[in-house]
Amino acid sequence: PDQLHDYGRDITFVEYRTVLDGLASCRMRHPRSGVRKKRVLVRQGDHKRAIPPRRLSMAVPRFATLTVTSPRLLSVFLEAARSLQCLCVPEYTTQLEKAINVLCDAFKAGNKLLVFGNGGSSADAQHICGELLGRFVKERTGLPALALCANQAVVTAWSNDYSFESVFARQVEALGRHGDVAWGISTSGNSPNVIAALKAARTIGLHTVGLTSAPGNKMTPWCDVLMAAPGASTQIGRAHV
């Protein structure tokens, strides 16, 4: 679905039997050999044609909209929409605005941002820093933002020789300065190394921002600003993105 663009034509998956990787697939018999091979049958206007799955990634961007005929697949899209709707509440948007103000004040004062997390949250941390250091909507000067999970030499060396629980705290102590911002990301809110880094940040005078799930987790007391995305645990990572 994220590859669909508006090129002025519609695509509808029909006559499906299984749903695999979000695509409606069917079985078609080869006209010569009679061997049954997996194909994706699509309707374009009044015409039908079969596309081998390996070629579908090249064909899909040519079409505009996707009509989902599988109830199971449709429920996935609806769940994604609900996870975004959950963010449109004052409790979350107020904290989001506070986090924006903290970051803006820090950057204006010449300070930097340190972001950290594990797994998918690690990828989010790198994505955030990439947008800030590079650009997002308009041309501007780069903003100083570091993802503490990106230096694999540091992460693996310290985790192997000392402790994975202190891998982010060690970097905060080395790189953080008074007035900087430490931004921890944890979908559960209970990641030990994220909490340890937030504690270290508080000790040396950094502003602390948290991106997590509903309040009440172990991360909450260590965050000056807590962006707690509401919703089921399976939706938190999607909401963070």
Side-chain angles (χ1 to χ4, degrees):
D2 59 345
Q3 294 180 347
L4 295 178
H5 302 284
D6 187 4
Y7 287 91
R9 288 189 283 183
D10 294 334
I11 182 172
T12 304
F13 293 136
V14 296
E15 299 178 10
Y16 65 91
R17 293 184 183 177
T18 61
V19 176
L20 183 62
D21 293 333
L23 300 176
S25 63
C26 65
R27 295 279 181 175
M28 296 185 66
R29 188 176 299 276
H30 193 277
R32 295 182 180 176
S33 64
V35 176
R36 299 172 68 85
K37 296 184 178 180
K38 184 175 289 188
R39 293 289 188 272
V40 177
L41 187 64
V42 302
R43 184 190 303 275
Q44 180 182 338
D46 296 328
H47 305 286
K48 294 182 181 179
R49 62 192 183 100
I51 302 178
R54 64 180 179 275
R55 295 179 55 193
L56 188 62
S57 60
M58 296 181 291
V60 167
R62 298 170 52 199
F63 300 93
T65 57
L66 171 65
T67 301
V68 180
T69 51
S70 164
R72 182 179 176 184
L73 184 57
L74 181 60
S75 67
V76 173
F77 284 102
L78 292 175
E79 182 183 1
R82 283 193 294 268
S83 68
L84 295 178
Q85 289 178 333
C86 289
L87 303 180
C88 300
V89 293
E91 294 80 7
Y92 187 81
T93 57
T94 299
Q95 294 299 309
L96 180 62
E97 185 175 4
K98 289 182 179 179
I100 293 172
N101 291 333
V102 168
L103 290 175
C104 288
D105 291 343
F107 288 142
K108 288 177 181 178
N111 296 110
K112 61 183 175 295
L113 169 67
L114 306 176
V115 195
F116 42 91
N118 302 286
S121 298
S122 169
D124 292 341
Q126 294 179 65
H127 189 178
I128 290 168
C129 292
E131 303 287 13
L132 292 173
L133 195 145
R135 64 178 298 279
F136 184 58
V137 176
K138 61 182 181 180
E139 296 295 335
R140 56 167 170 74
T141 57
L143 300 172
L146 298 173
L148 303 187
C149 44
N151 190 329
Q152 295 303 308
V154 171
V155 171
T156 55
W158 186 265
S159 299
N160 181 68
D161 297 343
Y162 291 92
S163 168
F164 185 65
E165 185 171 333
S166 60
V167 67
F168 298 141
R170 180 66 172 184
Q171 295 181 73
V172 168
E173 292 168 355
L175 301 173
R177 298 292 182 268
H178 183 83
D180 289 348
V181 179
W183 183 347
I185 307 176
S186 172
T187 54
S188 67
N190 298 317
S191 300
N193 54 6
V194 173
I195 295 171
L198 291 171
K199 290 180 180 179
R202 276 275 185 88
T203 301
I204 59 180
L206 275 69
H207 303 288
T208 55
V209 174
L211 181 60
T212 182
S213 55
N217 48 57
K218 295 179 181 179
M219 202 170 141
T220 303
W222 302 102
C223 296
D224 299 330
V225 179
L226 184 71
M227 294 177 286
S233 58
T234 54
Q235 300 175 353
I236 299 302
R238 184 186 301 120
H240 286 181
V241 174

